[in-house]
């Protein structure tokens, strides 16, 4: 099974997973449950490897723990692994989404075969007919097109076709394996961490992988594939199912993508990828797989709601400063080198217990963030900028006043759509939700790390768009300076 990353030629666009149907996830490690399972199975153990998108470098690990490296592919390629010719050995391949090309490699040959496939899709490797040969199917525009052979399938994906399989909304990964032990592979979609079988007569949930990448394999040698994961932040393979096959293996660093299979005899002798949890320092303007890894971790912590596009833009920068605010670190918009260690200690602070208000907004003026509660749990953490506690001249009051945000318990009492501009001052606010006649929670173009508004609660405009369907009139909103003291 080979997780893959869909890259455009200029930037990372989306994260997908494609798994080749081969043996165990982890190579033998002395004393590990994984090693014991492979020994008990009595066959050649599966091996594991990584693909580094930044340089198209592959790291394949053999059963003795040695590493073989090679370079294959180019910028924007999606890595794949499969038994393309049915000889029992899995070899590398790449999907070139911009050109609609599938390039396969057998043994040490640079390129053995080139096939035309639909462009701009999400590939998954699977032996769906049980003939011993892996083929590449394509997910595209919310539908899965199962290919009958390499490069074959619907002549056109633009018109009506009787064979596409509807994918669940929000599908971001595809993973395949022989999950029922019948000799043919099934394909599953991963959406919001849930792994769900797709296709006629399929259905059923295989598990929850959270924010990790899903992989699949026969971890204990019983002929049935089960799920495993690769944590792209901790850079660690984990097998959570399969009895004696359970185990973990730290390997590689953030931004690398896992592959697995039975790769045959490998020369070994090359250096293993350096292991590192987290990512190094990053700043606005950076792009690539390391940014994707950071975005995924910020999403898991409910700090980021944007696309996993590998672009460190304003949305990523605001999520980083929100992390710094919650952790009481220096409020920079750049990811600092030491922040990865701080992420390991990330935890929600004590917040007011209001069981009578399962859906509400808690605005923490001290830390300059708001917590959106849904069903009694913190669903999102959003950076804010509140009243700047400075004096300014109010055109409406014709007097000098203080810029301060009112504290207390309120409800959302009025809402306006889009940009709303004051005809007297010309100031414009975005999708305002008033909690008093004069003060609102609203989007704004400038949301600095410190209090800066005249008294309203500013949030970035894109956050207003994302929260528009989740707020409602009458929703409680509580505004306070410090975390309330805990009783007892």
């Amino acid at each position: 099974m080979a997780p893959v990353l869909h890259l455009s030629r200029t930037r990372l666009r989306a994260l997908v997973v494609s798994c080749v149907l081969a043996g165990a996830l982890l190579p033998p490690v002395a004393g590990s449950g994984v090693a014991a399972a492979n020994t008990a199975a009595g066959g050649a153990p599966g091996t594991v490897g990584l693909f580094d998108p930044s340089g198209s470098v592959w790291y394949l690990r053999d059963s003795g723990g040695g590493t073989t490296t090679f370079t294959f592919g180019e910028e924007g390629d999606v890595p794949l692994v499969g038994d393309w010719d049915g000889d029992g050995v899995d070899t590398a391949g790449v999907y070139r989404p911009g050109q609609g090309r599938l390039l396969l490699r057998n043994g040490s040959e640079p390129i053995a075969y080139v096939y035309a496939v639909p462009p701009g899709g999400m590939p998954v490797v699977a032996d769906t007919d049980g003939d011993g040969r892996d083929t590449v199917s394509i997910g595209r525009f919310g539908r899965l097109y199962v290919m009958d052979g390499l490069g074959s399938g619907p002549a056109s994906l633009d018109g009506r076709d009787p064979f596409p399989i509807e994918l669940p909304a929000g599908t971001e990964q595809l993973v395949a394996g022989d999950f029922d032990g019948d000799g043919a592979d099934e394909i599953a979609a991963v959406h919001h961490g849930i792994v769900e079988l797709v296709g006629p007569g399929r259905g059923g949930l295989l598990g929850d992988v959270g924010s990790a990448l899903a992989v699949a394999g026969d971890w204990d040698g019983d002929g049935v594939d089960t799920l495993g994961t690769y944590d792209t932040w901790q850079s660690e393979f984990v097998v959570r199912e399969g009895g004696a096959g359970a185990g973990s293996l730290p390997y590689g660093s953030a931004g690398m993508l896992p592959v697995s299979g039975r790769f045959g005899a490998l020369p070994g002798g090359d250096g293993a990828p350096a292991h590192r949890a987290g990512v190094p320092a990053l700043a606005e303007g950076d792009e690539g797989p390391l940014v994707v890894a950071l975005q995924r971790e910020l999403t898991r912590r409910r700090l980021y709601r944007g696309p996993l596009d590998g672009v460190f833009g304003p949305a990523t920068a605001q999520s980083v400063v929100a992390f710094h605010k919650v952790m009481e670190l220096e409020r920079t918009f750049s990811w600092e080198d030491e922040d990865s260690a701080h992420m390991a200690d990330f935890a929600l602070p004590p917040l007011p217990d209001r069981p009578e208000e399962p859906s509400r907004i808690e605005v923490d003026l001290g830390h300059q963030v708001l917590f959106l509660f849904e069903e009694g749990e913190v669903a999102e953490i959003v950076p804010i900028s509140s009243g700047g506690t400075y004096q300014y001249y109010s055109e409406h009051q014709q007097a000098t006043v203080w810029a301060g945000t009112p504290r207390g318990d309120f409800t959302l009492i009025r809402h306006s759509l889009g940009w709303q501009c004051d005809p007297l001052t010309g100031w414009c606010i975005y999708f305002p939700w008033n909690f008093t006649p004069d003060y609102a929670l609203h989007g704004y173009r400038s949301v600095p790390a410190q209090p800066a508004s005249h008294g309203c609660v500013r949030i970035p405009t894109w956050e207003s768009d994302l929260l528009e369907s989740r707020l409602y009139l009458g929703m409680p909103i509580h505004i306070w300076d410090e975390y309330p003291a805990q009783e007892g």
Side-chain angles (χ1 to χ4, degrees), residues 291-331:
V291 179
V292 171
L294 175 60
Q295 290 171 333
R296 287 180 65 86
E297 189 66 12
L298 291 170
T299 298
R300 187 169 78 89
R301 305 294 187 173
R302 290 153 289 185
L303 294 160
Y304 178 70
R305 287 151 290 280
L308 303 178
D309 59 4
V311 179
F312 198 123
T316 303
Q318 284 286 358
S319 297
V320 167
V321 81
F323 167 77
H324 290 154
K325 289 176 175 182
V326 173
M327 295 297 290
E328 299 185 348
L329 303 170
E330 182 181 358
R331 295 178 181 180

Side-chain angles (χ1 to χ4, degrees), residues 271-298:
H275 180 257
R276 173 189 172 123
V279 298
L282 296 167
E284 196 159 355
D286 287 336
E287 298 186 11
L290 291 176
V291 179
V292 171
L294 175 60
Q295 290 171 333
R296 287 180 65 86
E297 189 66 12
L298 291 170

Side-chain angles (χ1 to χ4, degrees), residues 38-125:
N38 285 330
T39 301
T47 55
V48 68
L50 290 168
F51 174 78
D52 185 352
S54 63
S56 299
V57 179
W58 299 68
Y59 299 87
L60 301 185
R61 181 182 168 99
D62 59 40
S63 59
T67 295
T68 298
T69 67
F70 60 91
T71 301
F72 176 54
E74 63 180 42
E75 181 185 1
D77 284 351
V78 178
L80 305 170
V81 178
D83 182 0
W84 314 120
D85 56 7
D87 66 354
V89 176
D90 299 311
T91 53
V94 295
Y95 170 62
R96 197 157 289 169
Q99 300 178 10
R101 292 291 183 269
L102 180 65
L103 288 74
L104 305 182
R105 169 182 172 132
N106 277 338
S108 60
E109 300 175 33
I111 299 177
Y113 307 101
V114 179
Y115 297 91
V117 292
M122 181 187 300
V124 59
V125 179

Side-chain angles (χ1 to χ4, degrees), residues 388-448:
T389 65
Y390 53 82
Q391 287 186 314
Y392 73 99
Y393 184 79
S394 170
E395 294 288 348
H396 289 277
Q397 299 182 44
Q398 296 293 298
T400 299
V401 297
W402 283 98
T405 299
R407 279 71 164 164
D409 304 319
F410 308 94
T411 58
L412 300 180
I413 60 174
R414 187 173 69 237
H415 180 47
S416 301
L417 301 177
W419 285 101
Q420 302 294 316
C421 299
D422 187 324
L424 185 61
T425 65
W427 293 327
C428 297
I429 58 178
Y430 189 61
F431 280 98
W433 293 86
N434 281 73
F435 51 88
T436 78
D438 299 317
Y439 296 97
L441 167 69
H442 64 75
Y444 204 67
R445 289 190 175 94
S446 174
V447 183

